[in-house]
Amino acid sequence: MIKSLRGMNDILSEDYERFTYFIDVASDVAKKYGFHFIETPLLEETALFKRSVGESSDIVGKEMYQFTDKGENDVCLRPEGTAGVVRAFIQKKLDKAGGIHRFFYYGSMFRYERPQKGRLRQFHQFGVESFGVDSVYEDSIMIMMCADILERCGIGYRLQINSLGDSNCMPQYRDNLVSFVKNCEDEICEDCKRRLDTNPIRVLDCKNDKCQKLYENAPKLINSLCDGCESDFTKLKKVLDDNGINYEIDTNLVRGLDYYSKTAFEFVSDNIGSQSAIAGGGRYDRLVEFLDGKPTPAVGFAMGIERLMELIVMPESSRDGYYIGAMDEETVDLVISLAHKKRKTDKVTIDYKAKNFKNHIKGADKANAKYFCLIGSNEIDSGEITIKNLDDKTEETIKIETF
Ligand SMILES: [Zn+2]
Ligand SMILES: [Zn+2]
């Protein structure tokens, strides 16, 4: 028997209900905020991810599904969604056109990781990207949108925010941090020693307890912000306060790449392991430029759908559509005709075999139908059918031709 590849799952039945429920809610929220759907290819040139995600990252270093195709092109299954959206944005010359462009996307991402609970090789993300708005208000809108999606799905969260500074204040801070860490270089972990050369800011989110202890007294970026970054961060906190969104400031919430600036945020859940991030995002004002586009401010976030799946609280009744059953062989044709008519507006489930009431009800439950009706010789004679609402158990009798 051929099985699916390691770390690659099927999504069907109940999982699919949850999956599509989440996509529907998230898409609906994104549309309410004025975002438009974008679909980018699963396969892109490897160079795109090397430049956008960064050569020094774990993703590019060891987790990419990279191969040479039959045309000798170095290609890669996308490990994340932002790079493709930015590439599309530049390729369509929207950077040159100017104005505001807001997108949302969802789909499969691929990382060749060691499969473990909650980490798949093919997984799914929902994300949004906004281009052309150089205002911290847009950052606050992003956070509110993400919170709306989680709230509508019944998912509890803690929000952590930080400011990463910008090209004014970040380089000075990085130098201060490097001098601080160099003073205790003998005691830090091997990863941090490597980071010191490649990506010093990332030492701050090292998971090693000993490192964390050492960095407790490290200089904090939040205390080194220039006036512009400081006032933006203050504004962000005010908007969140005004709109009843609770947050914590996490000075260790960092991104390693130069194109990230100012706002960084993460939504974490305490209900799946210890402090798991369920969504993360922030401002990346220099990525468009990094990928050869015209400098364009941008901000976005992404959510890992698999991590959210077990947290989603589904609405109590999700019954939907009709179940129509034939009581005897002679009425099967009529059932098919009625279903054909009704399917112009509603979901309809039918069975091609005549069955008794009990077996049809089982079918209606399996189909999760909201309305249930049976057609037998009595209905043909009277020209009427009774439609039962399986949610509130009410019934209504109508003429067959008005069905
Ligand atoms: Zn470390
Ligand atoms: Zn600054």
Side-chain angles (χ1 to χ4, degrees):
M1 186 183 63
I2 298 173
K3 292 188 176 170
S4 70
L5 295 173
R6 217 173 152 208
M8 298 197 170
N9 286 356
D10 303 304
I11 306 173
L12 71 172
S13 308
E14 273 173 43
D15 283 347
Y16 190 70
E17 297 256 319
R18 262 167 196 278
F19 188 87
T20 49
Y21 176 72
F22 174 77
I23 296 290
D24 287 349
V25 169
S27 304
D28 183 53
V29 171
K31 285 179 201 161
K32 286 191 163 66
Y33 278 80
F35 283 67
H36 301 277
F37 183 69
I38 182 171
E39 170 96 27
T40 65
L42 297 186
L43 205 57
E44 300 265 9
E45 274 188 49
T46 303
L48 173 66
F49 303 111
K50 282 196 171 161
R51 281 170 66 187
S52 61
V53 185
E55 300 258 13
S56 66
S57 66
D58 278 355
I59 296 179
V60 171
K62 48 192 177 197
E63 295 168 1
M64 290 215 291
Y65 261 93
Q66 182 185 357
F67 58 95
T68 306
D69 72 5
K70 288 178 182 170
E72 299 295 314
N73 303 298
D74 184 2
V75 295
C76 178
L77 285 167
R78 64 183 182 191
E80 58 90 50
T82 302
V85 176
V86 174
R87 187 218 20 85
F89 173 78
I90 297 168
Q91 196 170 334
K92 273 269 181 232
K93 299 191 168 59
L94 300 175
D95 54 335
K96 311 250 173 2
I100 300 169
H101 303 273
R102 298 186 173 104
F103 302 106
F104 72 94
Y105 63 84
Y106 52 82
S108 295
M109 310 291 159
F110 302 83
R111 289 184 200 172
Y112 200 84
E113 294 188 272
R114 179 179 290 276
Q116 48 177 292
K117 190 176 163 8
R119 278 188 196 270
L120 293 168
R121 287 179 173 174
Q122 178 172 358
F123 58 100
H124 298 81
Q125 282 189 344
F126 176 92
V128 305
E129 317 290 354
S130 160
F131 299 96
V133 189
D134 181 20
S135 159
V136 71
Y137 287 125
E138 187 76 351
D139 309 19
S140 66
I141 293 296
M142 289 281 164
I143 292 176
M144 288 194 256
M145 181 173 17
C146 195
D148 276 358
I149 293 172
L150 294 171
E151 277 162 27
R152 274 187 53 186
C153 291
I155 299 171
Y157 62 80
R158 280 188 300 118
L159 166 64
Q160 301 176 329
I161 59 170
N162 193 20
S163 173
L164 305 178
D166 59 5
S167 52
N168 272 329
C169 48
M170 176 48 114
Q172 178 66 50
Y173 170 75
R174 186 170 17 218
D175 290 347
N176 293 345
L177 181 68
V178 169
S179 339
F180 175 90
V181 178
K182 283 239 154 93
N183 281 332
C184 51
E185 203 178 346
D186 297 342
E187 298 167 77
I188 62 177
C189 74
E190 288 305 312
D191 281 341
C192 281
K193 280 181 187 155
R194 202 164 32 79
R195 288 180 187 123
L196 213 43
D197 292 326
T198 57
N199 209 341
I201 299 297
R202 289 304 298 266
V203 303
L204 292 173
D205 68 355
C206 179
K207 300 285 176 276
N208 185 308
D209 289 339
K210 197 175 160 209
C211 291
Q212 275 310 327
K213 197 94 198 128
L214 288 166
Y215 304 148
E216 264 171 22
N217 297 317
K220 303 229 180 306
L221 177 53
I222 207 130
N223 301 326
S224 324
L225 298 175
C226 66
D227 290 347
C229 292
E230 174 81 50
S231 101
D232 272 354
F233 196 53
T234 305
K235 218 183 270 178
L236 175 72
K237 290 183 286 185
K238 181 178 185 304
V239 176
L240 296 179
D241 287 335
D242 287 352
N243 290 280
I245 301 196
N246 295 325
Y247 57 83
E248 304 154 11
I249 294 166
D250 179 358
T251 53
N252 289 340
L253 175 59
V254 290
R255 310 268 183 246
L257 298 161
D258 285 342
Y259 57 76
Y260 286 108
S261 56
K262 298 187 178 175
T263 310
F265 60 90
E266 225 162 67
F267 287 82
V268 299
S269 166
D270 297 318
N271 299 325
I272 38 167
S274 57
Q275 271 215 22
S276 291
I278 47 177
R283 186 159 275 281
Y284 54 93
D285 285 346
R286 293 183 57 210
L287 181 55
V288 176
E289 194 183 340
F290 253 63
L291 294 175
D292 302 329
K294 188 177 163 196
T296 306
V299 54
F301 69 78
M303 321 174 83
I305 302 178
E306 274 79 5
R307 286 196 179 182
L308 296 170
M309 286 281 267
E310 58 185 294
L311 301 172
I312 295 169
V313 181
M314 296 286 284
E316 237 167 66
S317 170
S318 55
R319 283 186 180 274
D320 176 36
Y322 287 77
Y323 179 97
I324 315 174
M327 298 292 279
D328 42 58
E329 293 298 334
E330 289 70 43
T331 53
V332 172
D333 289 355
L334 179 58
V335 165
I336 289 177
S337 302
L338 288 176
H340 180 236
K341 188 177 162 198
K342 202 69 187 168
R343 279 177 176 146
K344 306 287 185 258
T345 53
D346 291 88
K347 175 185 153 191
V348 181
T349 304
I350 57 173
D351 197 310
Y352 302 134
K353 287 202 178 79
K355 288 179 178 172
N356 62 21
F357 177 85
K358 217 175 114 189
N359 284 325
H360 275 312
I361 274 285
K362 271 188 202 157
D365 280 338
K366 191 156 180 244
N368 211 21
K370 183 170 179 183
Y371 299 103
F372 175 78
C373 50
L374 296 180
I375 301 179
S377 52
N378 288 346
E379 282 73 18
I380 302 275
D381 291 347
S382 67
E384 291 183 333
I385 48 171
T386 300
I387 299 168
K388 193 178 170 90
N389 180 327
L390 295 175
D391 265 340
D392 62 15
K393 313 292 178 210
T394 55
E395 288 183 1
E396 187 194 4
T397 300
I398 61 164
K399 294 224 173 306
I400 289 180
E401 63 259 30
T402 65
F403 183 76

